[in-house]
C-alpha cells in the first residue's frame, strides 16, 4: 500500500545462528496452565526433543511431566539451574508475566533461543532489556501471539495493507468479558507480584497486536490511560473463593487513547469483568473504507465472525462480509512450528520483538498514565 503504511514496513532481516542436522533440544520454563499447550505441540514436531523442565514450585514440574506423558525429562527448581546444566537449543518461557524478562534475558545471554509467552513482559524497561539481550545474543526470540496465525487475522492484515481502506486514521479496539477474571488454577493472574498487570496485559496485548500488526506496527507516541479493579476487589465476585479479593492487586478494566506515528488514533478498552457483554467490535476507519471486526464474548484474541467492509461504490454506500476462512492447522501448533523453523533455519522470528516492544510500550504507558492521572509521552529507545 502506498503512503502512510510503507514507512512502517520492516526492512532489516538479521541473520541468526541456526540449529541444523539434529533434534532441537527444548526446555520448558514454568509448568503451569499454558505449558501444556507448548508441550502438546512440541510433541507433534519430530525434529524436537523436550529434554528438561523447570518450575519454582517443588514437585510441580514432575507432576506436569507425568500428566503430559513426558518421561526421562530432567527437572530443575528454576530457569537458571536448568539453563546452566543443560545444553539447550531453545526454551519456552511459560512463567507468569513478572518473571518473563529475567527468564528470557538469562536464556538469551546463555545462547538459548526463546519462545516467550504473551504479554512480552510487564514494563517497557523490561522489554528494552529483553530486546538488547536478543540483539547481543544473535538468537531467535519470538513472542507467543498465536492468534496472528489465524487465516482471518491474516486476511484482516491483507485488507488493510492492500490499500482497500485508504489511509487509516482511527482504530477502536479492545474486547472483554462480562465475568471472566482468570483464576482457574489459583491467583497467579490476579496478584501483582506474579502477573504485574491484569486484563490490560493478559488480553489487552491481543487486541493491540491484532490492529497494530494489521497497520504495520507504527510507533506509539502518547498515551492517556485509565485502569480500575471494581470487580476483582469485591469478595462477592469470587463466589467460591471470596479470599481472592484480598490478594487481587491488578486491573480488571483498562481504557486508553493512544496517538501513533503517522497520525493514527487508537481508542482502546479491555475488560476481564464488566456489566456488559462486550465493549464493542474492533473498527478500523480509512479514507476509502471502514472495517468491522466482530468481538467475541470471551476475548482471547480471536475474531468473532466475518469481517465487514464498508465502502462507497459507484456513489452508493455498500457493505459486505468477507467470507470466513478456515484451516485445519491449530494456531498454537503454528506458533511452535514456526518458532522451531526459525531456530533451525535462522532468519526472522515469526513474532518479532521489534514489533511487540511497541505493544508493551502502550500497555506500560496505559498503566503509568493511569497511575499519574494524565497523558504521557512514550520514550521508546532504538535498540
Ligand atoms: N498464548 C496463550 O494462549 C496463553 C494462554 C494462557 C496463558 N498465557 C500466558 O502464559 C504465561 C503463564 O500462564 P499460566 O496460566 O501457565 O501461569 P501459571 O501461573 O499457571 O504457571 C506459571 C508457572 O511458572 C512458574 N515460574 C515462574 N517463574 C519461574 C522461574 N523463574 N523458573 C521456573 N518456573 C517459574 C510458576 O511457579 C508457575 O508454576 C502468562 O504470561 C500468560 O499470559 C498464554
Amino acid at each position: 500500500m502506498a503512503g502512510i503504511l510503507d514507512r512502517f514496513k520492516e526492512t532489516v532481516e538479521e541473520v541468526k545462528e541456526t540449529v541444523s542436522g539434529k533434534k532441537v533440544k527444548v526446555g520448558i520454563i514454568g509448568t503451569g496452565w499454558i505449558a501444556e499447550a507448548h508441550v502438546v505441540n512440541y510433541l507433534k514436531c519430530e525434529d524436537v526433543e523436550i529434554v528438561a523442565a523447570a518450575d519454582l514450585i517443588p514437585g510441580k514440574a514432575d507432576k506436569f511431566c507425568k500428566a503430559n506423558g513426558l518421561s526421562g525429562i530432567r527437572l530443575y527448581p528454576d530457569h537458571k539451574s536448568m539453563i546452566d546444566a543443560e545444553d539447550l537449543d531453545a526454551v519456552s518461557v511459560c512463567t507468569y508475566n513478572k518473571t518473563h524478562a529475567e527468564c528470557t534475558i538469562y536464556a538469551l545471554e546463555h545462547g538459548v533461543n526463546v519462545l516467550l509467552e504473551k504479554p512480552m513482559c510487564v514494563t517497557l524497561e523490561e522489554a528494552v532489556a529483553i530486546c538488547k539481550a536478543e540483539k547481543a545474543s544473535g538468537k531467535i526470540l519470538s513472542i507467543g501471539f498465536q492468534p496472528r496465525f489465524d487465516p482471518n487475522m491474516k486476511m484482516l492484515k491483507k485488507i488493510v495493507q492492500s490499500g482497500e481502506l485508504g489511509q487509516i486514521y482511527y482504530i477502536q479496539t479492545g474486547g472483554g468479558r462480562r465475568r471472566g477474571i482468570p483464576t482457574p488454577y489459583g491467583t497467579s493472574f490476579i496478584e501483582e507480584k506474579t502477573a504485574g498487570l491484569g486484563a490490560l496485559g493478559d488480553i489487552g496485548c491481543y487486541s493491540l497486536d491484532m490492529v497494530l500488526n494489521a497497520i504495520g506496527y507504527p510507533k506509539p507516541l502518547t498515551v492517556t490511560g485509565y485502569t480500575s479493579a471494581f470487580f476483582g476487589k469485591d469478595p462477592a465476585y469470587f463466589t467460591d473463593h471470596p479470599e481472592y479479593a484480598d490478594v487481587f492487586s491488578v486491573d480488571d478494566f483498562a481504557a486508553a487513547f493512544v496517538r501513533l506515528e503517522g497520525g493514527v488514533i487508537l481508542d482502546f478498552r479491555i475488560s476481564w469483568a464488566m456489566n456488559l457483554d462486550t465493549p464493542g467490535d474492533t473498527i478500523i476507519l480509512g479514507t476509502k473504507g471502514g472495517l468491522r471486526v466482530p468481538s467475541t464474548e470471551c476475548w482471547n484474541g480471536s475474531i468473532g465472525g466475518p469481517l465487514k467492509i464498508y465502502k462507497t461504490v459507484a456513489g452508493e454506500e455498500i457493505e459486505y462480509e468477507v467470507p470466513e476462512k478456515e484451516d485445519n492447522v491449530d494456531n498454537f501448533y503454528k506458533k511452535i512450528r514456526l518458532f522451531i523453523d526459525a531456530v533451525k533455519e535462522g532468519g526472522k522470528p515469526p513474532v518479532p520483538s521489534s514489533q511487540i516492544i511497541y505493544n508493551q510500550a502502550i500497555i506500560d504507558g496505559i498503566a503509568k498514565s493511569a497511575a499519574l492521572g494524565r497523558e504521557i509521552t512514550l520514550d521508546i529507545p532504538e535498540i
Side-chain angles (χ1 to χ4, degrees), residues 33-34 55 60 79 97 99-100 117-118 146 188-189:
W33 181 16
I34 202 58
D55 201 288
K60 189 164 176 177
H79 65 286
N97 308 339
T99 55
H100 280 192
E117 261 308 335
K118 49 54 62 179
Q146 73 276 356
S188 68
F189 276 79

Side-chain angles (χ1 to χ4, degrees), residues 156-170:
L156 192 168
K157 180 170 182 170
K158 230 169 140 180
I159 292 167
V160 174
Q161 295 286 324
S162 73
E164 191 67 23
L165 307 180
Q167 181 180 330
I168 308 302
Y169 57 92
Y170 175 85

Side-chain angles (χ1 to χ4, degrees), residues 29-35 54-57 60 77-79 94-97 99-100 102-103 117-119 144 146 185 188-189 202 206 332 335:
I29 307 178
T31 55
W33 181 16
I34 202 58
D55 201 288
L56 298 178
I57 299 171
K60 189 164 176 177
D78 58 31
H79 65 286
C94 301
T95 64
Y96 34 68
N97 308 339
T99 55
H100 280 192
E102 61 173 295
C103 294
E117 261 308 335
K118 49 54 62 179
Q146 73 276 356
Y185 302 109
S188 68
F189 276 79
D202 179 37
Y206 282 135
F332 219 103
K335 149 165 136 176

